[in-house]
Amino acid sequence: MKRVIFSIFLLTVLWNASAYVPRDHIQNRVGFKQLKTMLVTGQAWNPYPAYQDRAGWDAMTGEHRAEIISCGEQLLDYRWQVVRATDYIEFERSGSREIMEKPYMENMRAVACLFCAELAEGKGRFVPQIADGVFHFCEMSSWALSAHLYKFSQAKTAMPMKDDNTLELHQGDLAQLFAWIYHYLHDEFDKLHPEISRRLKAEIKYREMDPYLEHEDYWWMGFTRDRHIDMMNNWTPWCSLNALVTFMLMEDDPVRLARAVWKSIQSVDYYLNFIQADGGIEEGPIYWNNAAGKLYDYLTALQMITGGKVSIFDVDQVLQMGEYIAKSYVGDGWVVNFADSPARPTFRNSALVYRYGKAVGSEFMMTYAAQAREVQDVSYKPSEDVFRFFEQLRYDSEFNSYTAEYVAPEYTWYPETAFHFHKKGKMFFAASAGHNDQSHNHNDVGTFNLYYDNLPVMIDVGVGTYTRQTFSDERYGIWTMQSGYHNVPIINGVMQKDGREFEAEDVVSRPGFFSADISGAYPEEASVSRWVRSYKVKGESLEISDSFTLDELKSPNEIVFMAWGKVSHAKDGQVSVKVADVEASLEYPAADFDAVIEPITLNDPKIIQVWGNQIIRIRLVAEKLQKKATYKFRICY
């Protein structure tokens, strides 16, 4: 009981104070002067075989060698796609990101597949096509995506501007990929023409390395932002990883290398200072890959370049961030999804989870990875993230020989992120509180997800295809972001409001029980002074209670439940939800509510991929206006 009380107190303190806590995990282990003496020079840190080491690459690619070479063979006649001016402009015209990103990403992945195929085969067969891809990108005005140019470039336009080398996620991915290609193939390029290697090296320096050292004003670096207020997210470890590995591969000047490594350390510390110490990934499981996962990759690279002397894998925050992916897993590919995460991600990250688990000493992560490996099926098709792919190959045999039984925890509570997970028999219940300005936020304070037999019954819809509107002041005009399409009430006809100040209070979590006063998540026009949403697990049923006090009576309250599958109004006081072989009943007081069942036809491919063509919104509309009352509902299997 004392631990629960402490968690509640800690949650209240951190929400009402700054999110930033100066932990400085890495800088507490090493200073700049020490760091300069630790850096491994001459590429001696590189654990992968040299290009000429055919036996080494045969061993590293193992039974996957033919698959990797086949991937490249399919691209020997690939036609490099031009990203046109109108493709960039389209983001400003319609908000579409895909028109520009699709050809760009396909080109980058083609380069990566060809590169890995050449490393696997080593006969020079793929080198001319790789050179064509490299030169194609070198001729582009920018390596940044239109959406990121529009938001973060100096000109604030989706059109690339000369000499505006915006440092962002995929620009950095490309720089790191090209650093690996230069490292392994520059001698082979010279056999075609020396200008290819010269140009590639110059472009990497111009587009990534020089801007990284010269600037401190990129928001994700954390140097010029008010770190106590402004949000930092997965951009920081992701971009810092790209910069770090690029310098590790390309920088011959020890002074510049030390500056770059130190700068990346400061940024990653800022990130770890900002995010919650409990390890909850507030963007949801889909972002684990590029939040905790990129942090792991970064820390791995940092270990390499310092000869293993700088490591924070023993820090509890890093452990908790890693274990989140396993604790949020429901089963059969389904996950607890809040914010922009889908409920059934398509990623295949079990190999990454295993390596992370091994680094932090978490058997829990490693056993989860072994189970997920059977469901997710590890992919051996190279992606643009070749560093992660190389590490996957390096640990492949070890991972595939690892077998152990995974046991899901019965209860998990993240006191700062305010995520509550509870597994009981065939039921998995998840709820969240927090505030409405979390990273990739939806207005959903107090919402819940409910799963029976590894199938979602009461759902979080997730998010559709990203457009300009998604990350703009129009974000909450999108229906999937609104509280009226989450499992929370509409109070006095008013939905929740976005903003840091719209938050839950008096949050209580213990095994089988979760509650929060969510009145603070609603704007003044809702006229609500108290609304305590409570959940109680009883057997394999879920009891839901809404106890409230209103200041004024304006409009009937509505209690919203989002579902999918076959939903029918079985009888007064009961709504049936059937998903595959699972049938659940939502019980409500028939005398107090009118049940409205609204089918929602889906047209976004990203949402359709998870839920099919339709979901159901269940609205329980109060029959009478009351200033003070308690509503009770029950969902049973």
Side-chain angles (χ1 to χ4, degrees):
M1 179 60 69
K2 289 182 179 179
R3 180 176 295 178
V4 174
I5 293 171
F6 173 75
S7 295
I8 297 166
F9 172 75
L10 178 62
L11 178 63
T12 303
V13 169
L14 288 176
W15 279 358
N16 288 289
S18 165
Y20 188 87
V21 179
R23 306 178 186 97
D24 291 339
H25 292 309
I26 309 175
Q27 292 171 81
N28 284 335
R29 304 267 171 111
V30 64
F32 181 57
K33 290 184 178 179
Q34 289 176 292
L35 179 72
K36 289 191 292 184
T37 67
M38 295 176 176
L39 297 181
V40 178
T41 59
Q43 304 298 320
W45 59 265
N46 191 339
Y48 316 120
Y51 174 71
Q52 297 82 5
D53 183 0
R54 290 297 93 213
W57 279 106
D58 287 348
M60 185 157 156
T61 55
E63 62 182 306
H64 312 294
R65 180 175 182 273
E67 181 181 351
I68 295 168
I69 292 172
S70 175
C71 173
E73 286 176 331
Q74 296 171 39
L75 295 163
L76 282 170
D77 295 323
Y78 179 78
R79 296 182 65 85
W80 302 99
Q81 302 177 63
V82 175
V83 183
R84 302 167 302 181
T86 51
D87 295 337
Y88 285 97
I89 297 169
E90 189 62 34
F91 182 78
E92 297 184 27
R93 288 177 174 168
S94 69
S96 170
R97 297 169 56 127
E98 185 178 10
I99 290 172
M100 180 268 156
E101 291 181 13
K102 187 174 184 293
Y104 176 101
M105 296 303 295
E106 287 180 358
N107 285 344
M108 181 157 58
R109 287 166 186 153
V111 172
C113 277
L114 289 159
F115 171 54
C116 291
E118 179 57 37
L119 291 178
E121 185 178 81
K123 296 179 180 179
R125 185 159 61 115
F126 301 95
V127 170
Q129 181 71 317
I130 298 169
D132 285 343
V134 164
F135 208 72
H136 173 89
F137 274 107
C138 288
E139 288 292 296
M140 293 181 69
S141 297
S142 173
W143 289 350
L145 302 187
S146 58
H148 298 157
L149 287 169
Y150 181 81
K151 192 171 181 68
F152 301 118
S153 70
Q154 294 177 2
K156 297 297 185 290
T157 174
M159 177 67 82
M161 304 294 285
K162 182 67 174 172
D163 297 327
D164 183 356
N165 288 322
T166 297
L167 300 184
E168 51 101 336
L169 303 177
H170 297 293
Q171 163 275 332
D173 285 343
L174 189 62
Q176 188 201 144
L177 171 60
F178 280 177
W180 286 108
I181 290 174
Y182 180 87
H183 171 75
Y184 276 107
L185 298 182
H186 67 273
D187 287 339
E188 302 304 307
F189 286 160
D190 286 348
K191 295 174 185 177
L192 288 176
H193 197 290
E195 177 59 16
I196 299 171
S197 291
R198 190 210 66 79
R199 177 73 181 278
L200 177 57
K201 184 176 183 179
E203 293 292 346
I204 294 169
K205 183 175 183 294
Y206 170 66
R207 296 174 188 258
E208 172 71 17
M209 299 169 72
D210 287 349
Y212 183 76
L213 288 179
E214 292 167 2
H215 286 265
E216 291 192 346
D217 54 346
Y218 291 110
W219 67 274
W220 53 265
M221 290 180 172
F223 292 103
T224 58
R225 296 167 66 79
D226 185 338
R227 293 184 292 275
H228 296 266
I229 299 174
D230 295 332
M231 183 180 296
M232 298 185 75
N233 60 20
N234 63 300
W235 274 61
T236 302
W238 190 343
C239 293
S240 298
L241 167 72
N242 285 330
L244 175 62
V245 176
T246 300
F247 273 90
M248 287 166 62
L249 289 163
M250 300 295 296
E251 187 55 69
D252 298 323
D253 182 340
V255 175
R256 277 172 56 94
L257 177 61
R259 286 177 56 204
V261 176
W262 182 246
K263 192 170 191 176
S264 73
I265 285 172
Q266 292 175 284
S267 291
V268 171
D269 265 346
Y270 291 151
Y271 167 71
L272 290 171
N273 292 347
F274 178 84
I275 65 171
Q276 308 291 15
D278 63 12
I281 308 297
E282 59 188 29
E283 300 102 325
I286 191 66
Y287 278 90
W288 185 91
N289 271 12
N290 292 325
K294 291 293 186 185
L295 173 68
Y296 163 75
D297 290 339
Y298 171 85
L299 294 177
T300 300
L302 183 62
Q303 270 192 324
M304 290 178 178
I305 192 61
T306 59
K309 295 176 183 176
V310 179
S311 173
I312 59 166
F313 282 125
D314 60 335
V315 169
D316 185 67
Q317 183 183 18
V318 178
L319 168 69
Q320 297 302 329
M321 289 177 70
E323 290 191 341
Y324 170 81
I325 193 64
K327 292 176 179 177
S328 61
Y329 184 69
V330 176
D332 293 336
W334 296 97
V335 300
V336 175
N337 68 308
F338 297 126
D340 277 359
S341 183
R344 193 164 192 154
T346 56
F347 53 58
R348 298 173 176 179
N349 63 4
S350 58
L352 172 63
V353 176
Y354 173 82
R355 296 194 304 276
Y356 196 139
K358 182 178 181 180
V360 296
S362 172
E363 289 284 341
F364 174 64
M365 287 182 71
M366 295 164 72
T367 57
Y368 161 76
Q371 174 183 285
R373 177 182 64 212
E374 306 305 318
V375 177
Q376 297 175 352
D377 185 23
V378 178
S379 172
Y380 293 92
K381 180 179 179 180
S383 72
E384 66 276 12
D385 192 347
V386 295
F387 177 57
R388 187 173 285 182
F389 185 63
F390 289 168
E391 286 292 276
Q392 178 181 325
L393 292 175
R394 190 158 73 109
Y395 285 91
D396 184 64
S397 178
E398 176 184 320
F399 173 43
N400 285 320
S401 64
Y402 179 85
T403 56
E405 183 181 359
Y406 166 75
V407 179
E410 181 177 314
Y411 167 68
T412 300
W413 168 232
Y414 291 97
E416 297 165 65
T417 316
F419 288 168
H420 168 107
F421 305 152
H422 185 84
K423 182 175 175 61
K424 183 71 176 292
K426 291 187 176 182
M427 185 178 76
F428 193 117
F429 163 69
S432 74
H435 59 81
N436 279 333
D437 192 32
Q438 293 178 322
S439 183
H440 295 82
N441 178 71
H442 292 198
N443 288 340
D444 61 356
V445 170
T447 192
F448 77 100
N449 299 356
L450 186 64
Y451 311 77
Y452 282 114
D453 203 14
N454 294 342
L455 283 171
V457 175
M458 295 299 169
I459 70 172
D460 187 305
V461 181
V463 69
T465 303
Y466 283 165
T467 67
R468 183 186 65 227
Q469 185 183 5
T470 311
F471 300 104
S472 72
D473 55 8
E474 302 172 22
R475 178 179 177 87
Y476 297 97
I478 302 172
W479 66 273
T480 57
M481 313 290 184
Q482 299 170 358
S483 67
Y485 294 87
H486 288 78
N487 299 314
V488 292
I490 298 173
I491 302 174
N492 260 329
V494 178
M495 295 189 294
Q496 293 184 15
K497 185 76 172 64
D498 58 289
R500 177 63 182 79
E501 67 272 28
F502 297 99
E503 63 182 355
E505 296 180 345
D506 301 329
V507 181
V508 178
S509 174
R510 59 178 180 264
F513 182 80
F514 181 78
S515 73
D517 183 350
I518 63 173
S519 60
Y522 293 79
E524 186 177 347
E525 53 265 34
S527 298
V528 56
S529 58
R530 177 176 174 271
W531 193 292
V532 177
R533 164 62 66 95
S534 301
Y535 302 99
K536 184 177 182 180
V537 174
K538 194 170 184 179
E540 290 194 41
S541 67
L542 179 67
E543 296 179 351
I544 303 168
S545 171
D546 284 313
S547 181
F548 64 88
T549 303
L550 303 180
D551 298 323
E552 294 182 62
L553 299 176
K554 298 179 179 180
S555 182
N557 295 322
E558 299 182 23
I559 311 301
V560 176
F561 297 92
M562 302 299 295
W564 71 314
K566 295 179 180 179
V567 178
S568 60
H569 197 176
K571 60 182 180 181
D572 285 348
Q574 182 178 319
V575 174
S576 172
V577 180
K578 191 173 189 306
V579 181
D581 294 330
V582 170
E583 186 165 4
S585 294
L586 166 61
E587 299 173 355
Y588 65 94
D592 297 330
F593 291 93
D594 178 31
V596 180
I597 297 175
E598 297 179 348
I600 299 175
T601 301
L602 302 175
N603 54 25
D604 188 290
K606 189 173 179 179
I607 303 178
I608 291 172
Q609 185 178 17
V610 178
W611 305 116
N613 296 317
Q614 180 179 272
I615 57 173
I616 307 295
R617 185 189 192 210
I618 304 167
R619 294 167 47 234
L620 301 181
V621 183
E623 292 282 3
K624 53 185 176 182
L625 303 180
Q626 298 171 285
K627 277 195 171 182
K628 188 173 183 179
T630 298
Y631 302 148
K632 290 186 178 295
F633 314 97
R634 179 172 177 263
I635 304 172
C636 55
Y637 173 57

